[in-house]
Amino acid sequence: MSAPDPATPRLAIDELIACPRCDALHRAELPHAGERAICRRCGTVLIAPRAGSYGRILMLATTIMILMFGAVFFPFLQLRVAGLRSDASVFDTARAFAGGNMAPLAVAVALLIVLIPVLRVLLISYVLAPLAAGRRPARHAAAAFRLSEDLRPWSMAEIFVIGTAVALVKLADLAQVVLGPAFWMFAALVVVTVLQDGFMCRWSIWRALEAER
Ligand SMILES: [Zn+2]
């Protein structure tokens, strides 16, 4: 370790922001209203606060909860073979698998496509609802937000939609397949989740959580 160069201005660690894509270090500054801070090297958006974004994220969180309820309990698809019809929801399917040796699969599917996305929505709402109302952050809000960010890669509703779409193409040779409302709700869920992520400026949220501690 060498002594710090006196010519280099000393910056506190929380004044710096690293680009998540290329690691370039920047001095963080809140952009003016309607502007956003992008990485000087690769152009990744670093800070993009938007007026009213907390309220919008909370509304999208409510939308996700409603869509998830329908996606789990409404018929996902209908199979028609030789005059026979069969409707199945994701809930029915998970329950059918729960007894046999496919139980671990049923548990994994329930966790990755339903429980983790729902938990993330609840955590984000818990963190942002007080901020949207202009109040102090709730207790343990920082820990809740960290957990929600840690769970992000494990929230796999979109992979499920792509996976079933692929499986249905195969199945279409054997039986007539009709997509139920739940399939479209899952598809809408993927879009709404992407929208919600787009509204969420992590830097602004962390700063709001830190300022009040
Ligand atoms: Zn960059």
Side-chain angles (χ1 to χ4, degrees), residues 25-185:
L25 214 52
H26 302 74
R27 198 160 61 82
E29 222 170 88
L30 197 64
H32 295 288
E35 291 181 353
R36 46 192 205 159
I38 61 170
C39 174
R40 191 173 297 171
R41 191 195 279 162
C42 73
T44 301
V45 176
L46 300 176
I47 309 173
R50 292 192 221 188
S53 67
Y54 295 156
R56 246 170 278 172
I57 294 169
L58 288 171
M59 275 190 312
L60 292 175
T62 314
T63 313
I64 290 175
M65 291 300 275
I66 295 168
L67 284 173
M68 186 58 97
F69 183 84
V72 170
F73 293 104
F74 286 2
F76 190 82
L77 56 87
Q78 190 183 65
L79 288 178
R80 291 183 199 158
V81 194
L84 292 172
R85 276 167 159 224
S86 165
D87 275 311
S89 70
V90 169
F91 183 71
D92 295 333
T93 313
R95 219 177 34 175
F97 278 127
N101 50 10
M102 296 287 262
L105 180 70
V107 172
V109 168
L111 264 179
L112 296 177
I113 68 169
V114 181
L115 296 182
I116 289 180
V118 166
L119 180 61
R120 281 199 68 222
V121 165
L122 292 177
L123 288 169
I124 289 169
S125 307
Y126 176 76
V127 171
L128 293 188
L131 299 183
R135 273 185 274 144
R136 291 171 51 85
R139 283 185 61 189
H140 307 302
F145 191 55
R146 194 177 311 119
L147 178 60
S148 138
E149 288 292 284
D150 287 346
L151 287 175
R152 195 144 62 110
W154 296 101
S155 186
M156 296 195 182
E158 61 269 41
I159 293 170
F160 179 69
V161 171
I162 296 167
T164 39
V166 171
L168 291 182
V169 171
K170 296 273 175 200
L171 207 60
D173 296 339
L174 307 171
Q176 197 190 349
V177 179
V178 181
L179 295 173
F183 179 87
W184 301 111
M185 284 179 161

